[in-house]
Amino acid sequence: MIIVANSEAGAGIEQAVDILKSGRHGLDALETALNRVEEDPKVRSVGYGGWPNLIGEMEFDAGVMDGTTRRTGSVGALRGVVHAVSVARRVMTDLNHEMLVGEGACRFASESGFTAQPTLYPDSKKVWWDKLARMLSPEEQAKFPDMPLAPLNSAITDPEKVRDTSVFLTIDSHKGIHAATSTSGWAWKYPGRLGDSPIVGAGFYADSRYGAAACTHTGEMTMRAGTCRTIVLAMKLGYSLEDALKIAVDELRDLETGYLDGVVIHALDAQGRHKVVNFRCRETIRYWYWDETLTKPEKREAETLAD
């Protein structure tokens, strides 16, 4: 049994380990762990602690994939429900769809018994408005948000350069390989923006026969390159985990236009080998790892790739 998760996963990884040890399905472990992360206000890129969109609304994205059945469930631009990963899993188990977004995702969450709740953390609200107030004239503040938003989207910067996600990969006791993600998305994003986190094949992918991958940071790039599906498909075609990652990174490196920045890829293969690589992120990237030989999860440093 193995868990690979990014650095934001600390609030829930011990619960994930306990559930795996009990023999339950890997997605039970990942969903429970991500619920803890989604509730933690100290995690500033996921759930309640995340940052709002440009007009001060929280919009959550999440996805799950059962690598044995290759069924997926995801939600995008979900409002009013912090536990987006649980709604995503219900999409997978209760509908004959793979993805719901916006008002449809909100309606389904309500029908599924999720209670609407306040989701904008007071500190996030203050930072959001303080930032906007410095950019808008008094006249613009008075009519906001009934004004063109695209110029603000281009000019405003993230409060803490937050473009992160929480991602989990696991191999469970049944040899199933599974993936799950959750995020509040890019801080100050244009309303309705989806990153890679809910996009199957871009932000996450799992196939119990070959392996799994999940990405964080600049989703605009991994959506264009289909990064996670590229990695798993390469392993299906006989490439090693290391060579599959090289193929995926080369695809990212070949992008020359659009928004370009750092990407972190988390991946594992069906033999239990794992690798986490940092492509173009300027900060040191760390991640969580656990397997049955360890008494508790360890925080490790990702490999930094040359550009």
Side-chain angles (χ1 to χ4, degrees):
M1 296 183 289
I2 293 172
I3 298 174
V4 178
N6 72 321
S7 60
E8 280 72 22
I13 193 167
E14 291 187 0
Q15 290 92 332
V17 169
D18 290 342
I19 291 172
L20 280 191
K21 286 180 175 180
S22 74
R24 289 167 59 188
H25 193 282
L27 282 181
D28 292 340
L30 304 194
E31 179 185 355
T32 299
L34 276 171
N35 283 167
R36 303 291 83 77
V37 177
E38 290 165 332
E39 295 165 359
D40 189 348
K42 297 187 296 296
V43 181
R44 302 315 305 266
S45 57
V46 179
Y48 184 61
W51 301 100
N53 66 17
L54 199 49
I55 60 175
E57 295 177 339
M58 297 300 297
E59 293 181 313
F60 303 113
D61 306 329
V64 299
M65 187 164 186
D66 182 322
T68 302
T69 64
R70 279 167 286 156
R71 276 299 310 273
T72 68
S74 67
V75 292
L78 174 70
R79 296 185 303 279
V81 179
V82 167
H83 291 151
V85 72
S86 294
V87 182
R89 192 174 183 194
R90 291 292 291 272
V91 171
M92 183 184 77
T93 59
D94 295 1
L95 295 178
N96 59 0
H97 303 321
E98 305 294 318
M99 185 180 199
L100 293 178
V101 299
E103 291 300 327
C106 298
R107 178 182 181 124
F108 176 72
S110 178
E111 290 179 1
S112 300
F114 293 89
T115 302
Q117 57 201 214
T119 56
L120 182 56
Y121 185 44
D123 180 68
S124 298
K125 181 178 181 179
K126 180 180 184 302
V127 174
W128 161 75
W129 183 250
D130 287 349
K131 181 72 175 180
L132 274 178
R134 291 197 297 271
M135 300 188 64
L136 301 176
S137 68
E139 294 77 14
E140 289 173 325
Q141 290 183 37
K143 63 181 181 180
F144 183 83
D146 298 322
M147 57 183 294
L149 298 177
L152 287 173
N153 176 250
S154 299
I156 202 166
T157 57
D158 298 3
E160 297 176 5
K161 297 293 183 185
V162 174
R163 290 190 297 278
D164 210 351
T165 303
S166 189
V167 300
F168 278 80
L169 305 174
T170 190
I171 302 178
D172 64 20
S173 60
H174 312 286
K175 306 303 180 185
I177 300 179
H178 312 293
T181 73
S182 184
T183 185
S184 56
W186 195 330
W188 314 159
K189 61 190 174 185
Y190 197 96
R193 176 262 184 185
L194 297 182
D196 63 338
S197 300
I199 307 298
V200 182
F204 65 102
Y205 199 84
D207 187 325
S208 298
R209 300 170 298 177
Y210 309 112
C215 295
T216 67
H217 288 68
T218 312
E220 276 70 11
M221 294 172 63
T222 59
M223 285 190 287
R224 295 164 65 192
T227 299
C228 291
R229 174 61 175 153
T230 294
I231 293 165
V232 177
L233 179 58
M235 290 192 288
K236 178 179 180 178
L237 295 175
Y239 289 91
S240 68
L241 174 63
E242 185 170 358
D243 286 343
L245 281 162
K246 183 180 184 301
I247 291 169
V249 170
D250 285 345
E251 290 288 297
L252 295 173
R253 191 177 281 117
D254 286 343
L255 298 175
E256 296 180 350
T257 62
Y259 190 88
L260 305 177
D261 206 343
V263 172
V264 181
I265 305 173
H266 308 71
L268 56 82
D269 66 18
Q271 289 70 48
R273 293 179 289 258
H274 81 283
K275 202 171 183 66
V276 179
V277 297
N278 167 9
F279 175 62
R280 288 183 180 161
C281 292
R282 289 166 288 280
E283 69 273 24
T284 298
I285 298 296
R286 293 182 172 85
Y287 68 97
W288 288 97
Y289 177 79
W290 174 84
D291 65 32
E292 294 171 274
T293 68
L294 300 174
T295 57
K296 62 181 181 178
E298 294 181 350
K299 208 167 194 181
R300 300 181 175 182
E301 187 171 322
E303 177 185 349
T304 300
L305 302 179
D307 194 354

